[in-house]
Amino acid sequence: MARGFSVISLLAALLIGGWLLTAQQSSPSRQQTTQAVAEAQQAAAGLAFQQAEAQLEQTHSLSGTYVRTSLAGFGVTLVRADASTYCIQNATAHLSGPGGAPASGPC
């Protein structure tokens, strides 16, 4: 009886150990997770810049200047603006426009 119990216990331990090893290998690594989060943040920043650019262009078409454009709610700050150019930024990147591409760092 004791011998049968020890064999069953050994098999159960091996099955659980194998399952844990397999589950650990199939889960994403910390580097993959960090990279996925960074890509998601970059995509969100790009979307915020696109929305802010649309608002800036609308203001420019109505008033002929980018000055005093309200970007509240877009997650970006209007750092510099005049009649023909602007620079907006968030916590990690900036965009000089019109027609610029997001770049890292402040304006």
Side-chain angles (χ1 to χ4, degrees):
M1 176 83 172
R3 190 173 207 188
F5 182 71
S6 63
V7 170
I8 292 174
S9 296
L10 178 63
L11 283 174
L14 287 173
L15 287 173
I16 292 171
W19 178 77
L20 288 173
L21 183 62
T22 304
Q24 186 179 27
Q25 289 176 349
S26 65
S27 66
S29 69
R30 184 171 198 79
Q31 181 182 5
Q32 290 171 327
T33 303
T34 303
Q35 182 179 357
V37 168
E39 289 173 2
Q41 289 173 334
Q42 186 177 15
L47 183 59
F49 283 139
Q50 287 176 345
Q51 293 172 335
E53 280 184 295
Q55 181 66 30
L56 282 157
E57 292 304 325
Q58 181 180 15
T59 300
H60 187 261
S61 68
L62 294 172
S63 66
T65 185
Y66 296 109
V67 178
R68 291 187 296 275
T69 302
S70 174
L71 298 178
F74 292 106
V76 299
T77 303
L78 181 61
V79 176
R80 176 184 47 77
D82 57 32
S84 60
T85 63
Y86 59 85
C87 187
I88 54 178
Q89 71 182 27
N90 64 11
T92 60
H94 74 278
L95 184 137
S96 296
S104 62
C107 287

